[in-house]
């Protein structure tokens, strides 16, 4: 690969982060390296460390850039809280379509950066403005969990690209041992005969709706935690 001409204009943190997003979009998060990023920007790798401490800090910043571009729907009147919450979460969910690496990046974060806290603050404020107590809002944010970041916290997800095929020495499951799962699968196949899996968008919206319906009932009943 020919070496990229050296950059002449000053480098900025935002330029580094946006270039990193572009590299991850093209090659995936695992292929993102300081060397590839430096080549993209036309600088030597050491120049990047004036703007990011290491790869983890780089990924934190990439998330920061994406979240900063999101609209922040407001709830000017109490009845608007639900629409604003749904629109805010939908905005994050749409990011996953353009940036398939984002889910993995979010799942591996260990620091609550200002950008992460800002999104949590925005949603918390919408609930509080909607008449939810601080107590109920606290527990509701726990229930929502990863859904505030646009994905469902499901285990054993066979999403493409998440994991390489692996061998197993476990016994092959006999469908007859799992009549409940078989009944659900049979019904789902009858409803969507051409589908190759669950409709993830529908499942996400359904779960979010169930949670927010329950939240509204608790708000109206003036629920509070026992301690």
């Amino acid at each position: 690969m020919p070496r990229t001409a050296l950059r002449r204009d000053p480098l900025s943190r935002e330029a580094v982060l946006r270039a990193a997003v572009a590299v991850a979009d093209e090659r995936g998060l695992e292929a993102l390296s300081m060397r590839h990023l430096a080549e993209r920007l036309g600088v030597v790798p050491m120049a990047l460390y004036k703007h990011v401490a290491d790869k983890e800090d780089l990924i934190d910043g990439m998330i920061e850039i994406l979240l900063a571009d999101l609209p922040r729907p407001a709830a000017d009147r109490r009845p608007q809280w639900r629409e604003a919450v749904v629109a805010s979460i939908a905005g994050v969910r749409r990011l996953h379509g353009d940036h398939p690496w984002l889910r993995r990046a979010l799942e591996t974060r260990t620091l609550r950066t200002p950008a992460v806290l800002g999104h949590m603050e925005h949603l918390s404020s919408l609930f509080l403005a909607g008449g939810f107590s601080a107590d109920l809002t606290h527990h509701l944010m726990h229930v929502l969990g990863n859904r505030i970041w646009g994905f469902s916290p499901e285990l054993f997800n066979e999403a493409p690209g998440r994991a390489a095929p692996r061998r197993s020495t476990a016994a092959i499951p006999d469908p007859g041992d799992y009549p409940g799962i078989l009944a659900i699968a049979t019904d789902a196949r009858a409803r969507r005969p051409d589908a190759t899996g669950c409709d993830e968008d529908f499942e996400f919206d359904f779960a979010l709706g169930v949670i927010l319906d329950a939240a509204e009932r608790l708000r109206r009943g003036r629920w509070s935690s026992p301690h």
Side-chain angles (χ1 to χ4, degrees):
M1 178 184 296
R3 185 173 180 82
T4 305
L6 291 180
R7 185 187 187 96
R8 294 182 179 276
D9 53 317
L11 195 61
S12 67
R13 176 175 169 82
E14 181 175 352
V16 170
L17 298 178
R18 292 198 181 278
V21 167
V23 172
D25 288 346
E26 294 169 7
R27 305 184 182 185
L29 198 61
E30 292 74 16
L32 175 63
S33 69
M34 291 299 192
R35 180 176 64 82
H36 286 143
L37 185 55
E39 289 177 353
R40 169 67 67 101
L41 289 165
V43 299
V44 297
M46 285 304 297
L48 301 178
Y49 292 101
K50 297 179 181 178
H51 306 283
V52 292
D54 52 27
K55 186 173 178 179
E56 292 304 306
D57 186 42
L58 177 67
I59 296 173
D60 285 342
M62 293 161 65
I63 294 171
E64 168 192 316
I65 282 289
L66 295 183
L67 293 181
D69 291 340
L70 285 176
R72 296 295 186 196
D76 299 325
R77 295 183 295 109
R78 179 171 290 191
Q80 295 176 330
W81 71 266
R82 180 167 181 151
E83 290 79 2
V85 167
V86 170
S88 296
I89 294 176
V92 183
R93 184 163 175 80
R94 282 192 294 271
L95 290 176
H96 295 282
D98 295 328
H99 312 284
W101 52 267
L102 179 58
R103 174 170 178 170
R104 179 60 179 163
L106 287 166
E107 288 176 326
T108 57
R109 294 307 85 204
T110 58
L111 294 177
R112 290 187 177 92
T113 63
V116 166
L117 290 172
H119 182 60
M120 296 172 68
E121 168 66 18
H122 172 66
L123 290 176
S124 297
S125 296
L126 290 177
F127 287 120
L128 294 171
F132 288 73
S133 68
D135 182 32
L136 179 52
T137 299
H138 169 198
H139 296 287
L140 180 54
M141 291 291 284
H142 278 291
V143 171
L144 286 169
N146 289 351
R147 288 187 179 88
I148 72 170
W149 302 111
F151 59 90
S152 299
E154 296 185 19
L155 294 175
F156 312 112
N157 187 356
E158 297 180 1
R162 294 294 305 282
R166 49 163 295 215
R167 299 175 62 186
S168 173
T169 58
I172 298 175
D174 181 347
D177 293 336
Y178 312 98
I181 295 175
L182 186 60
I184 292 169
T186 301
D187 178 77
R189 177 60 60 87
R191 293 174 185 275
R192 302 173 63 235
D194 297 327
T196 57
C198 294
D199 183 337
E200 296 299 334
D201 287 333
F202 174 82
E203 300 301 343
F204 183 89
D205 292 342
F206 175 75
L208 181 59
V210 168
I211 291 170
L212 297 183
D213 284 345
E216 175 63 10
R217 289 196 297 272
L218 293 173
R219 184 192 68 81
R220 291 179 178 177
R222 299 181 181 277
W223 179 92
S224 65
S225 60
H227 47 70

